[in-house]
Amino acid sequence: MIPGGGQPNMQQLLQQAQKMQQDLQRAQEELANTEVDGQAGGGLVQATVTGAGELRALKIDPKAVDPEDTETLADLIVAAVHAANENAQALQQQKLGPLAQGLGGGGIPGLPF
């Protein structure tokens, strides 16, 4: 029988919530420091973003540079950044997904997660 007439131990629930929040914060910090790449044009343009989606680097192969056709280069850059961001989102899901499931998918009312 649970003490207190079947009420959950609030102290224990708060400790669990605090640990989950710390785990989530640690995972978010790890994401911010992890870099992922995306590319376009068979590797002519490569973008590097953090797991949080911050653009860190952009590499453009000289073969991709045509002064007469800057639109294609712009499209390749956008595509490479988009691919890198998709990879960052996949990494976020991998790192944060299990934590969100541990919260029942909807978080705990009144807490910031």
Side-chain angles (χ1 to χ4, degrees), residues 6 11 13 15 29 33 39-40 45 47 50 52 55 58-59 76-77 83-84 86 92-93 99-100 102-103 108 110:
Q11 183 66 26
L13 285 175
Q15 288 174 346
E29 288 171 3
N33 294 319
Q39 61 177 335
V45 176
T50 66
L55 182 64
L58 189 62
K59 294 179 187 173
L76 289 173
I77 292 169
E86 283 182 347
Q92 288 174 5
Q93 187 62 31
L99 292 172
L103 294 171
I108 298 174

Side-chain angles (χ1 to χ4, degrees), residues 55-111:
L55 182 64
R56 286 277 173 93
L58 189 62
K59 294 179 187 173
I60 302 171
D61 188 305
K63 292 180 233 166
V65 181
D66 178 358
E68 302 297 318
D69 184 15
T70 57
E71 281 185 33
T72 298
L73 178 56
D75 290 344
L76 289 173
I77 292 169
V78 169
V81 172
H82 181 73
N85 278 323
E86 283 182 347
N87 292 337
Q89 288 176 352
L91 182 63
Q92 288 174 5
Q93 187 62 31
Q94 178 185 347
K95 294 276 186 195
L96 300 179
L99 292 172
Q101 290 172 355
L103 294 171
I108 298 174
L111 295 179

